[in-house]
Amino acid sequence: MGPLMELVAALAKIPFTLTLVTALIIAAIWTKTHRAALPEADLRDYGYAPRHLWRLAWRRIFTSIFLTVGGWRLYASLLAAGLLVGVLEWNFGTWPAVVLFFAIHALTLVIEAVVIVAPLRYFQHPLGETLHGTHDVGPSAGYYGCFGGWLSMSGDSMTLIGIVALYLSLRVLFSLFFAAKDTGDLPADTAHLVAFALGLALGDVWPA
């Protein structure tokens, strides 16, 4: 088998990852985020905020997946999606990658809205109202979920799991420290930690 055929055979093992990366590239070209920041109007129209869950604006859970804020974060998302979704799909198949990516992404946003933001708003914490209306975009919850799923399904990765969990936890604490002035990356950092934990949990019970 020649190099070209080997490449085709390798790519045939990760069709979902290739489709996801292609969709991100197409969305980036459409919104021009391959060379500039996402326009505020597009963020408002297609991004997701916890308030949309209560308004049953379900489409935003999915439209927000394929957009990024642009600039270097687009290319970081392309790389992370290719690697973290790709390694799960390569080792465990397309079906687990598809299910874990979309299920964890959606479930993470629901958990953020119901378990984190809603109690903060109930107790009238200023951060709750701010997070309630903060728009976010990107596939990161899905690919962090796939990363957690891969580590869990692979087994014997406790050291790496601990390192990733510590890193994500420190990111949340760092964002919280500056949240009084600007929520910044707090919604995304929280989503990453939640999604990674969900990936570990779902990977642990995924049928062998």
Side-chain angles (χ1 to χ4, degrees), residues 62 97-109 142 198 202 206:
F62 298 100
V98 172
V99 172
L100 264 65
F101 180 85
F102 286 110
I104 290 175
H105 183 91
L107 189 55
T108 294
L109 299 185
L198 287 173
L202 291 179
W206 191 269

Side-chain angles (χ1 to χ4, degrees), residues 16-25 27-28 33-34 38 64-86 101 105 136-144 146 185 188 192:
F16 173 64
T17 302
L18 294 177
T19 301
L20 175 62
V21 170
T22 301
L24 290 170
I25 292 172
T33 48
H34 62 298
L38 180 71
S64 63
I65 291 177
F66 300 103
L67 300 178
T68 71
V69 294
W72 68 268
R73 296 194 184 216
L74 164 65
Y75 300 99
S77 290
L78 291 174
L79 179 62
L83 290 176
L84 302 183
V85 179
F101 180 85
H105 183 91
D136 195 19
V137 291
S140 53
Y143 62 63
Y144 268 108
C146 286
D185 292 328
H192 298 165

Side-chain angles (χ1 to χ4, degrees), residues 36-65:
L38 180 71
E40 192 66 30
D42 287 339
L43 181 63
R44 289 195 307 268
D45 290 343
Y46 302 105
Y48 168 85
R51 65 186 176 88
H52 294 127
L53 181 68
W54 308 112
R55 296 180 180 181
L56 303 181
W58 304 108
R59 70 170 179 86
R60 288 179 176 269
I61 290 180
F62 298 100
T63 59
S64 63
I65 291 177

